[in-house]
Amino acid sequence: SLILGTSITISSNHWVMAWAGLEINTLAILPLIAQSHHPRAIEAATKYFLTQAAASTLMLFSSMTNAWYTGQWDIAQLTHPTSCLILTSAIAMKLGLVPFHFWFPEVLQGSPLTTGLLLSTIMKFPPMTLFYMTSHSLNPTLLTCMAVSSAALGGWMGLNQTQIRKILAFSSIAHLGWMTIIIAYNPKLTLLNFYLYILMTAATFLTLNTIKATKLSTLMTTWTKAPSLNAMLLLTLLSLAGLPPLTGFIPKWLIIQELTKQNMAPMATMISLLSLLGLFFYLRLAYCATITLPPHTTNHMKQWHINKPTNTSIAILTTVSTLLLPI
């Protein structure tokens, strides 16, 4: 159902079909969030359902307004300014952009790591394609404001977290800020950023799922389980932070270049400085994962080495998400 909903949305030309695909998506991910039957998981599923239903309704409303004024149901021909504004807020709700970001960390914290991976990658794909298809008619000022505030909030709110899933949620919000700032000027760069973000996040989530770490304090002792994988996790996290010469630097580099071409150098400077906030908590994750080797003062039990070899997909993903730019 997830694949079906996603493919319906990304291949549709008519707004109602796009809406139907988004609804199928929402309903398909709910059992995956609530599968552990823990009260927090149920709460996360409820929050997710309410926000996504509201966002889908807003999207339908914006397309209906546009159809009422122009007689067009085509996605690429969204021209009425009011419906553009409503659509921007609906997609921001779907993606978790500031000011509609509150649901995302909560939902990610309540769901297991594999579902968290789905939520932060596949579930953002259909709204991203809608963004891409309507990008020429959206309001650039509004998008820039939302993007800079997303980068700021994603950085600031992640500083104080100890739960890895919440940190990754705020990192996702900050990355979405980078994608949104450029979409009105060069939508292809948004897609490039999104694909690379999916690669790096998938590598991080799958590594964490292998070593079964969800808190910073448990991350400190898991290096004995898979030492080489942990060393690569350091590089993947730094790549997520966007340090050269790793993969994560490609989109940031190109976006800053494009913004400077569009005479938006102040915005480029601001969003680059705000990504330093993100760098701080990625560094803390990396520090807890790899650099706190014994003798340290945490009185935890040493954990056994994982005896099965590392999954091939994790190996490929980590390699790609660190070495794409040097190659």
Side-chain angles (χ1 to χ4, degrees):
S1 293
L2 267 179
I3 297 167
L4 172 75
T6 307
S7 38
I8 285 179
T9 303
I10 63 182
S11 57
S12 59
N13 284 320
H14 194 289
W15 275 114
V16 176
M17 283 299 282
W19 169 80
L22 286 171
E23 287 293 317
I24 292 173
N25 245 355
T26 306
L27 294 175
I29 194 89
L30 285 175
L32 289 174
I33 301 176
Q35 66 185 354
S36 67
H37 299 296
H38 189 274
R40 177 165 283 173
I42 308 294
E43 180 192 349
T46 315
K47 281 177 180 168
Y48 185 77
F49 173 71
L50 291 172
T51 45
Q52 298 299 309
S56 299
T57 316
L58 267 179
M59 207 194 79
L60 203 56
F61 178 56
S62 83
S63 52
M64 277 172 68
T65 317
N66 189 56
W68 178 261
Y69 279 104
T70 63
Q72 277 293 343
W73 279 102
D74 193 24
I75 290 184
Q77 301 189 16
L78 187 79
T79 46
H80 193 253
T82 320
S83 50
C84 285
L85 287 175
I86 300 173
L87 179 84
T88 310
S89 57
I91 288 185
M93 251 171 149
K94 279 261 170 218
L95 290 170
L97 275 167
V98 174
F100 308 105
H101 64 283
F102 297 100
W103 62 273
F104 189 52
E106 309 280 326
V107 170
L108 214 61
Q109 182 55 34
S111 49
L113 279 166
T114 37
T115 311
L117 171 64
L118 288 177
L119 276 171
S120 43
T121 55
I122 306 218
M123 298 307 286
K124 299 209 187 291
F125 195 50
M128 260 307 167
T129 47
L130 291 177
F131 234 2
Y132 181 80
M133 289 197 279
T134 55
S135 58
H136 50 85
S137 52
L138 301 175
N139 180 357
T141 326
L142 175 68
L143 288 176
T144 310
C145 289
M146 286 169 91
V148 172
S149 50
S150 290
L153 265 152
W156 264 307
M157 293 176 75
L159 294 180
N160 208 16
Q161 303 294 337
T162 55
Q163 299 281 345
I164 299 175
R165 281 169 295 188
K166 276 195 174 176
I167 292 179
L168 286 169
F170 287 119
S171 104
S172 174
I173 292 171
H175 274 275
L176 283 168
W178 277 91
M179 292 173 217
T180 316
I181 198 165
I182 200 66
I183 193 152
Y185 308 105
N186 193 343
K188 287 198 173 64
L189 275 186
T190 302
L191 281 190
L192 171 78
N193 193 345
F194 185 57
Y195 295 146
L196 292 180
Y197 165 73
I198 283 185
L199 279 178
M200 298 183 288
T201 312
T204 314
F205 267 109
L206 291 172
T207 306
L208 291 170
N209 191 39
T210 307
I211 59 181
K212 298 281 180 283
T214 51
K215 291 201 295 289
L216 282 180
S217 55
T218 55
L219 194 60
M220 285 192 184
T221 57
T222 47
W223 68 270
T224 47
K225 287 186 177 180
S228 49
L229 189 60
N230 250 24
M232 284 307 286
L233 178 64
L234 166 80
L235 287 177
T236 314
L237 287 167
L238 293 181
S239 180
L240 259 178
L243 286 186
L246 303 167
T247 307
F249 183 57
I250 305 176
K252 286 189 167 44
W253 183 16
L254 295 174
I255 285 173
I256 290 171
Q257 200 176 349
E258 182 66 32
L259 284 175
T260 328
K261 279 182 198 163
Q262 302 284 349
N263 295 328
M264 291 175 67
M267 281 302 149
T269 316
M270 262 180 75
I271 201 164
S272 316
L273 287 173
L274 287 169
S275 73
L276 288 177
L277 292 164
L279 175 64
F280 177 79
F281 58 74
Y282 291 122
L283 274 177
R284 183 165 59 187
L285 268 175
Y287 181 79
C288 287
T290 53
I291 311 174
T292 45
L293 299 185
H296 55 55
T297 50
T298 49
N299 45 3
H300 282 291
M301 286 284 288
K302 282 282 179 292
Q303 301 195 6
W304 288 102
H305 198 297
I306 297 178
N307 56 3
K308 52 181 188 298
T310 306
N311 196 334
T312 325
S313 57
I314 301 181
I316 295 170
L317 281 168
T318 30
T319 315
V320 171
S321 63
T322 48
L323 294 179
L324 212 54
L325 182 56
I327 290 168

